[in-house]
Amino acid sequence: MATPLEKARKDPNSMKARILKVARRMYGEYGYHGTTTRMIALEVGIDISTLYYHWGEKTDLYESVILDINNDLRNKLIEVEKVIHGRPLARRLGIAIDMVTDYLFECPEISNLVLFQYFRKTRKEPNLDFHVPDFISDIARSMDLCKTGESIPTSASMRVLAMMNSIHNFISGENFFREMLKLKREEYIDHVKETLEFMLIPAFNGGSQGQTDINQTDIRR
Amino acid sequence: MATPLEKARKDPNSMKARILKVARRMYGEYGYHGTTTRMIALEVGIDISTLYYHWGEKTDLYESVILDINNDLRNKLIEVEKVIHGRPLARRLGIAIDMVTDYLFECPEISNLVLFQYFRKTRKEPNLDFHVPDFISDIARSMDLCKTGESIPTSASMRVLAMMNSIHNFISGENFFREMLKLKREEYIDHVKETLEFMLIPAFNGGSQGQTDINQTDIRR
DNA sequence: ATATAATTCCATCAAATGATGGAAACACAT
DNA sequence: ATGTGTTTCCATCATTTGATGGAATTATAT
């Protein structure tokens, strides 16, 4: 119960938690420089100084937001792994795509912030944690890209990144793409899942030979 | 010779062109709100009012930048299409990945700005052109996702978007991913191409049956 | 009820930022 | 050389933005 983040997670109705929730959405929507502390405070319905009282500087709040969404995503992936454990690879992928996509469409700020974290610079760099996230190794193992116990090869990390980013892209780009393609939300979500299956299943399933039948008949429409 | 953009394109040494070039890089690196007109002017080595003299408001300059990179990308894709025309699908994809990746690694601001355009909101929305870019249809046809003359189905658009975004992701995320994986630039580029081939070729080549041999033996390592 | 601590808001600051008017410098034709 | 139009810079504004001190309010313990 040391950090403000832990306090916020303990009581979701606390002011800290309310601010954090809005900050996630706003930072996700407008990015770091595009979001002002006043915008967040206004949306929460409090004075700006209350925000500073709880979270300190703007960068501190942003870092907490990043930690928070990374934590949520990690938990979700662990949950998914429990569900798909033991099934054949193509089936695992299909379920994982389905679950992760549904989850991220409910919390699109996660995809926004993950991509933002990867792609954009801030004027003064507060970037600290330049390490391979642990869940990338977990996913790699779950996708049979490397054996348990072994250290994960670079190409496996790259493939996991490619997979995760493909998903994030469609979540994060929803507004733009949906408007472009004139789709309703549900239609769009279905198309996203179909497209992800189209791209990911042949690639990852093709690696381990002799299962192409599963791929063709069981998963794809 | 009406718009400032056309003037800038005519003479690459003109002040307009010099400003545009720097603006592309800065906007790409820090995003719209993360880039100030002073940052751009400072980098060019001119006074801020000179920038306003040539390009007007900040949003105007940004819009010109977007038009400029869309134009460059479109031209490159046309060039690629000429090279790959007539070859077998898997080969076309391999060459296209190679050429487009090389190009974007030379002009990473294009990937940055394309993704920025898709994902991020600005506080006041200047978004105008919410139409399917013409080159998406061209790519779809080039990838055998629809026949010439036909209107392009939604799923084909989605697949093209997925493909393009996969490439942009690795360009745009270079700093983050390379640091994470401790790779030299050349190593990283090779890994990117390999990963893209791994993901894209089975998917797009598998769609048209009976060519899996080409896929397995000719392109992938 | 009262003292103490935690929370919230009001007023305000300094710096950063988008933007402009006008003087100076420059280019160039006559 | 002179005049004309273009380009560049200096000085300056009005807002916006991150941030804080201190008063007022609320909660909590005794």
Side-chain angles (χ1 to χ4, degrees), chain A residues 33-66:
Chain A
H33 290 296
T35 307
T36 69
T37 50
R38 275 175 179 78
M39 287 165 65
I40 300 173
L42 187 71
E43 189 84 2
V44 180
I46 55 171
D47 187 272
I48 180 182
S49 54
T50 303
L51 186 149
Y52 279 90
Y53 170 75
H54 285 286
W55 289 104
E57 297 181 11
K58 187 187 180 185
T59 54
D60 294 338
L61 175 56
Y62 186 72
E63 274 180 29
S64 296
V65 164
I66 296 296

Side-chain angles (χ1 to χ4, degrees), chain A residues 141-190:
Chain A
R141 272 179 258 284
S142 182
M143 291 298 122
D144 288 354
L145 292 173
C146 69
K147 300 197 173 66
T148 49
E150 279 179 22
S151 78
I152 174 173
T154 303
S155 63
S157 295
M158 296 283 292
R159 288 168 188 191
V160 172
L161 286 172
M163 180 174 64
M164 291 302 296
N165 286 341
S166 303
I167 304 177
H168 289 311
N169 279 332
F170 280 121
I171 314 292
S172 206
E174 176 182 353
N175 288 331
F176 195 94
F177 298 144
R178 240 182 68 198
E179 174 81 7
M180 193 172 95
L181 301 170
K182 312 285 179 210
L183 295 174
K184 295 201 190 86
R185 183 144 217 265
E186 282 67 30
E187 293 172 338
Y188 179 71
I189 296 179
D190 284 344

Side-chain angles (χ1 to χ4, degrees), chain B residues 17-28 35 39-44 65:
Chain B
R18 283 173 55 204
I19 296 173
L20 187 70
K21 192 177 167 189
V22 173
R24 273 172 63 139
R25 209 181 66 231
M26 305 288 270
Y27 275 131
T35 308
M39 285 165 66
I40 300 172
L42 187 72
E43 189 83 3
V44 180
V65 164

Side-chain angles (χ1 to χ4, degrees), chain B residues 106-155:
Chain B
E106 277 169 34
C107 316
E109 77 275 12
I110 294 180
S111 292
N112 290 342
L113 287 163
V114 167
L115 292 179
F116 201 80
Q117 194 183 2
Y118 290 163
F119 300 155
R120 216 100 281 126
K121 272 189 190 169
T122 50
R123 273 171 241 166
K124 351 168 192 169
E125 3 223 332
N127 289 335
L128 352 138
D129 52 348
F130 253 141
H131 66 282
V132 184
D134 48 356
F135 57 74
I136 287 192
S137 320
D138 296 342
I139 298 175
R141 273 180 256 283
S142 183
M143 290 299 122
D144 288 354
L145 292 174
C146 68
K147 301 198 172 65
T148 48
E150 282 179 19
S151 80
I152 175 174
T154 303
S155 64

Side-chain angles (χ1 to χ4, degrees), chain A residues 20-30 62 65-66 68-70 72-73 103-117 168 171-172 174 185, chain B residues 120:
Chain A
L20 186 70
K21 193 178 168 188
V22 172
R24 274 172 63 139
R25 209 182 64 232
M26 304 288 272
Y27 275 132
E29 216 158 320
Y30 299 99
Y62 186 72
V65 164
I66 296 296
D68 195 45
I69 60 115
N70 276 335
D72 282 3
L73 183 55
Y103 175 68
L104 291 176
F105 267 113
E106 277 170 32
C107 316
E109 77 273 13
I110 294 180
S111 292
N112 289 344
L113 287 162
V114 166
L115 293 178
F116 201 82
Q117 192 183 2
H168 289 311
I171 314 292
S172 206
E174 176 182 353
R185 183 144 217 265
Chain B
R120 216 100 281 126

